[in-house]
Amino acid sequence: MEQKKDTLRIYPVPKGAVLQEDYCLRIRSVGTEDWQELRTYRVKVDMHDVRCASMAYFDFSGKVEVEITFPKFYTVYRVDIRPLSLGIRPEIEPKRITFVLDKPVNLSVEVNRDRFHNLHLFAGALEELPDKAGDNVLTVSGSLERPGFLGDEVSRQLEAMPEGRMLYVEPGIYYIGECIWRLPSHTHIYLEGGAVLIGGLALEHGEGLHISGRGILYLADFARFSSINGIRLNHSRDIVIENLIFINPPHYTVSLGGCENVTLRNLKSFSCEGWSDGLDMMSCRKILAEGCFLRTSDDCVAIYGSRWDNYGGSREVTVRNMTLWADVAHPTMIGVHGDHREEGDVIEEVLFENIDVLEHHEFQPGYLGVLAINAGDKNLVRNVTYRDIRIEPFEHGKVLDFQVKWNKDYNPAPGRGIRNILLENVQVITGDGEEPSVIAGYSGEFPVEDVRIRDFYRDGAKARSLEEAGIVVGDFAENVRIE
C-alpha cells in the first residue's frame, strides 16, 4: 500500500505512565492545519543532582512542524537545539517555539540554556508494523486503562511454538514477573509504540534473538543496588536490538558479555545512578552500535576485555552515527578491565565514527576524557580509529585521555600498552571546563605507541601542532604526531 507523502504516527500513552508536564508539545505534517498533541514522559538525569527532564517520541515521513509552549514557566530568550551539527534553528516567541523537521533525528531542545529540564525529542522514520495475526505469532493484548503482566505463562506459550516465532506486545503497561524476563532463543519480540515494560530482559547462552518496536523499558523505580540492566546478553550470538527507549535502568542499558555478532540500533536511554552505563561490552566480537542517543550517568559506551564470567579480548567493534551525553564520566571508554590473572587481553579493531558528543562532566582526576583509552589489567589496546567526531562545549573534562594506567581502584595490574591509534576529523568547540588532553604510557615496557592525529579542529581552525590541539604528551609515549 503506497504511503502518503507526509505521514505522522503518534503512539498512545497508557494510564499510569510517568509523565512530565513542563512542555505542551504539538506536531503536524507541513501543509496541514490540524495539530496533534504529543505527551511527554519523565526521565531522570544526572546522578550528582537528579532532576526530571522530558522525553517524547513519534514517527513521520515527509516534513513535520513542531510547536512547543510552556504551561508553567519560561519566558523564552534563547533556544538551543542539539546536536548543533544538525543546524536546526527554531522560530522563537516569548512563550512559543516552532521548527520543521525533514528527516529522522534525535534531539535535545534546551530553553534558556537549561540542560537538565530539557526536552528530548525522538523523531523516527515510519516503519511497517509486523502482521500480528500472522502464523507463528503470539499477540499479548494490552489495555491502556490497567496494567498487564509478562512472565512464565507467556514464556511457556512461546517455547511451545516453532523457532522463528514472534511475540507481539500491544500498547499498555506490563509488569515483568520477578523483574527480569529471560527470553528464549530464535524469537522476535516486537513492542508496539505505547507498550511500557517495567523490568529488564535477559538472554543467557542463546542465539537468534530480535527485539524491536517503539516500546519503552521503564526501570526508574528500581534502586541502584538492584543492579538490574535494561537488557543483559551473556554468552550469546546473532542478536539485533533496535528502536527501543530505556528510562532509568539502575545499571547498564545493554550489558554484553561474551557475545558475538550483535547489532544495537537506534536505542535511546537515560540513567541517573552510579554505574548506570549505556552500552558495555566485555569479551565481545563483531558488535555494531549505531544511531543511538545515550544520556547516562556513567560511561555511555565502554569496551573491555575479561570481566566477571566473561573471558577473552574484544575485537571488531563499530560505534557510529551516535549522540552521546555523559552527565558523569566518559562518553567513550576502552580498556579498563581485562584478564589480570593471566597474560591480559587484547582489545582491537575498534571504530568510533560520526559521533556527536553533547556533554562530558567529570571532576575525578583519573576519569576524564571524551575519547578515553585507559589500558589496565594487562590489557593491550590497538588499532582504534576515531573518525568524524564533533565535541560540543562540555562542563568539565578532557577531549583525549590515552593512558596506560594502574588504577588501583579497579586494576590489580597496569595495562601492557596502547598502539596504532588514528584520530581523523575531530572538531572541538572549546568550553570553559576543558583540561589539557593527555597521551602517556606507564613505563618503558608499557608505552603508548603510534598515535596519528589528522585534521583536528578547534573552534573551526585546524590545529597545526599538538599544543594548538590542547594535547600534552607525557612520558613513555612514542611517535605521537599531528597532521
Side-chain angles (χ1 to χ4, degrees), residues 123-135:
L126 283 171
E127 66 168 358
E128 185 175 349
L129 300 179
D131 180 7
K132 60 184 176 182
D135 295 337

Side-chain angles (χ1 to χ4, degrees), residues 389-405:
I389 312 295
R390 297 168 295 276
I391 302 172
E392 299 186 14
F394 50 78
E395 196 146 355
H396 189 265
K398 300 175 182 177
V399 173
L400 308 179
D401 189 55
F402 297 164
Q403 296 194 59
V404 183
K405 288 186 174 182

Side-chain angles (χ1 to χ4, degrees), residues 138 150-162 165 167 181-184 187:
L138 174 62
L150 292 172
D152 292 344
E153 179 57 33
V154 173
S155 295
R156 282 192 290 269
Q157 292 181 61
L158 272 180
E159 291 167 358
M161 298 165 63
R165 58 213 154 206
L167 176 69
W181 188 15
R182 291 167 175 80
L183 302 173
T187 302

Side-chain angles (χ1 to χ4, degrees), residues 53-327:
S54 301
M55 181 276 294
Y57 69 104
F58 67 96
D59 292 335
F60 76 107
S61 64
K63 291 185 178 182
V64 65
E65 184 178 10
V66 179
E67 177 197 69
I68 304 170
T69 55
F70 312 99
K72 294 182 179 179
F73 55 92
Y74 283 131
T75 293
V76 179
Y77 63 82
R78 173 176 174 148
V79 177
D80 297 295
I81 298 181
R82 303 195 300 143
L84 298 176
S85 63
L86 295 173
I88 298 174
R89 293 177 174 81
E91 297 291 328
I92 301 174
E93 302 172 20
K95 294 287 186 179
R96 182 174 181 263
I97 302 166
T98 58
F99 54 92
V100 172
L101 302 176
D102 60 5
K103 62 182 178 182
V105 286
N106 297 323
L107 302 175
S108 170
V109 181
E110 299 159 15
V111 179
N112 301 345
R113 299 178 180 269
D114 189 343
R115 292 188 176 187
F116 298 103
H117 303 93
N118 57 315
L119 170 65
H120 305 83
L121 185 61
F122 303 135
L126 283 171
E127 66 168 358
E128 185 175 349
L129 300 179
D131 180 7
K132 60 184 176 182
D135 295 337
N136 210 24
V137 176
L138 174 62
T139 299
V140 177
S141 298
S143 168
L144 296 178
E145 297 299 321
R146 60 185 185 278
F149 296 90
L150 292 172
D152 292 344
E153 179 57 33
V154 173
S155 295
R156 282 192 290 269
Q157 292 181 61
L158 272 180
E159 291 167 358
M161 298 165 63
E163 291 184 357
R165 58 213 154 206
M166 174 186 286
L167 176 69
Y168 189 108
V169 181
E170 293 183 343
I173 290 178
Y174 301 87
Y175 289 91
I176 293 174
E178 298 183 343
C179 303
I180 298 174
W181 188 15
R182 291 167 175 80
L183 302 173
S185 295
H186 304 292
T187 302
H188 182 183
I189 308 292
Y190 185 83
L191 307 180
E192 190 176 344
V196 179
L197 275 59
I198 299 177
L201 309 178
L203 180 67
E204 305 273 353
H205 298 278
E207 62 182 11
L209 178 66
H210 184 189
I211 308 174
S212 66
R214 297 296 191 270
I216 294 173
L217 270 68
Y218 182 83
L219 299 105
D221 295 333
F222 294 97
R224 174 187 179 186
F225 291 108
S226 66
S227 298
I228 295 177
N229 302 287
I231 296 179
R232 186 179 73 243
L233 305 172
N234 280 351
H235 308 292
S236 297
R237 58 181 298 145
D238 303 330
I239 298 160
V240 177
I241 302 172
E242 53 189 348
N243 298 320
L244 305 182
I245 298 172
F246 298 79
I247 296 180
N248 298 119
H251 205 40
Y252 304 158
T253 295
V254 181
S255 173
L256 298 94
C259 291
E260 182 173 0
N261 194 24
V262 177
T263 296
L264 308 174
R265 180 180 294 120
N266 199 26
L267 306 180
K268 281 81 68 174
S269 182
F270 303 89
S271 71
C272 65
E273 300 282 1
W275 305 326
S276 58
D277 296 20
L279 314 179
D280 273 28
M281 312 167 199
M282 287 74 75
S283 304
C284 289
R285 299 154 299 284
K286 297 183 180 179
I287 308 298
L288 171 62
E290 63 178 358
C292 303
F293 183 108
L294 306 174
R295 183 173 186 178
T296 61
S297 282
D298 212 319
D299 302 337
C300 295
V301 179
I303 304 170
Y304 301 136
S306 300
R307 196 178 192 196
W308 300 317
D309 63 343
N310 309 297
Y311 296 97
S314 288
R315 58 184 51 85
E316 297 179 66
V317 177
T318 297
V319 180
R320 67 190 183 198
N321 307 332
M322 306 275 275
T323 303
L324 305 179
W325 182 323
D327 282 315

Side-chain angles (χ1 to χ4, degrees), residues 335-347 374-381 404-406 411-417 446:
V336 174
H337 302 290
D339 190 0
H340 58 85
R341 295 181 180 85
E342 300 295 336
E343 298 302 315
D345 295 319
V346 176
I347 301 172
N374 291 172
D377 276 0
K378 301 183 182 178
N379 281 332
L380 172 63
V381 180
V404 183
K405 288 186 174 182
W406 189 354
N411 301 143
R416 285 184 290 152
F446 304 135

